[in-house]
Amino acid sequence: GAGVSQSPSNKVTEKGKDVELRCDPISGHTALYWYRQRLGQGLEFLIYFQGNSAPDKSGLPSDRFSAERTGESVSTLTIQRTQQEDSAVYLCASSLGFGDIQYFGPGTRLTVT
Amino acid sequence: DAKTTQPNSMESNEEEPVHLPCNHSTISGTDYIHWYRQLPSQGPEYVIHGLTSNVNNRMASLAIAEDRKSSTLILHRATLRDAAVYYCILRANFGNEKLTFGTGTRLTIIP
């Protein structure tokens, strides 16, 4: 079946602009996660959703970052007033439910110039 | 989450077994040991996980020490496609949905 998809695959934006990154989880997966991976580093947890609710927003780096999920499906990660330090690969994952294996998408490579 | 310690890098010859170690001396009784790997330019993928007993699946085997303070991921016959960064992660059984990734072990396969 279809895996987790993310769009766009690459995004180049100017400093100060807003960006939206999209994640389509595997159908039927109730949990969805966002991670960030800077060049040469491990993954950094940002936020997760159980259904449409986000019980843990502790990983969001600043108030410029926000995320939402609708219909227990698609999620959007929004970064306002992008900064150069926001440049990274943003990865989305989904899992069937609580504590299950996470399946990752291919990521969106964000470059802020 | 309790922390894990892995070597930064390892090399192995193609078609030979690979043993990737992970130390987790502060593991709690309810922590599962998960392994994910990340192939170049891809998102991570699940490899295997276990609690106390050794585990086998089509990708690998997981050997867990009796005191659970360390574990070893075993690739029985490495191929070039196994070149990746391997992450050993502890995950609480309840109340924690996120995976805390360290820097992992970069595995290089020598043809």
Side-chain angles (χ1 to χ4, degrees):
Chain A
V4 177
S5 61
Q6 293 185 244
S7 60
S9 55
N10 279 286
K11 176 71 176 179
V12 180
T13 189
E14 292 180 353
K15 177 181 172 182
K17 296 282 179 71
D18 298 351
V19 295
E20 284 189 355
L21 312 180
R22 177 186 168 111
C23 173
D24 285 84
I26 294 172
S27 178
H29 280 196
T30 62
L32 184 147
Y33 319 79
W34 284 98
Y35 296 87
R36 177 170 73 176
Q37 187 171 33
R38 290 197 166 111
L39 187 63
Q41 298 187 20
L43 276 72
E44 173 188 5
F45 166 79
L46 298 178
I47 190 171
Y48 85 90
F49 291 88
Q50 182 61 42
N52 293 330
S53 300
D56 185 357
K57 300 181 182 180
S58 63
L60 293 176
S62 75
D63 59 7
R64 296 186 295 106
F65 287 71
S66 62
E68 65 173 14
R69 188 181 185 196
T70 57
E72 297 197 357
S73 180
V74 172
S75 177
T76 303
L77 177 69
T78 302
I79 309 173
Q80 295 179 310
R81 305 181 302 281
T82 52
Q83 304 294 314
Q84 288 188 331
E85 61 263 28
D86 299 334
S87 296
V89 175
Y90 289 81
L91 289 153
C92 173
S94 70
S95 63
L96 187 62
F98 182 88
D100 290 318
I101 295 165
Q102 294 188 16
Y103 295 86
F104 284 79
T108 293
R109 181 175 299 278
L110 175 66
T111 303
V112 181
T113 61
Chain B
D1 293 320
K3 296 232 188 272
T4 62
T5 304
Q6 300 176 252
N8 289 333
S9 62
M10 290 182 64
E11 288 185 348
S12 178
N13 293 321
E14 193 177 10
E15 299 186 4
E16 291 187 357
V18 182
H19 290 234
L20 296 162
C22 181
N23 288 322
H24 28 79
S25 58
T26 60
I27 191 170
S28 73
T30 56
D31 284 340
Y32 279 78
I33 302 158
H34 288 248
W35 285 82
Y36 281 72
R37 72 179 185 181
Q38 188 171 20
L39 301 171
S41 301
Q42 295 187 28
E45 65 175 349
Y46 167 81
V47 178
I48 200 167
H49 77 285
L51 184 62
T52 55
S53 303
N54 294 344
V55 183
N56 299 294
N57 66 20
R58 65 176 180 80
M59 290 181 71
S61 295
L62 177 60
I64 301 172
E66 194 169 337
D67 63 6
R68 300 210 325 126
K69 294 186 177 183
S70 65
S71 60
T72 303
L73 179 70
I74 302 166
L75 307 179
H76 294 285
R77 190 168 169 271
T79 68
L80 294 178
R81 196 194 172 276
D82 292 320
V85 178
Y86 286 78
Y87 297 98
C88 169
I89 302 158
L90 301 185
R91 191 174 187 190
N93 193 26
F94 292 102
N96 188 337
E97 283 287 358
K98 64 185 181 185
L99 296 176
T100 302
F101 287 76
T103 53
T105 296
R106 181 174 297 278
L107 176 64
T108 301
I109 305 298
I110 302 167

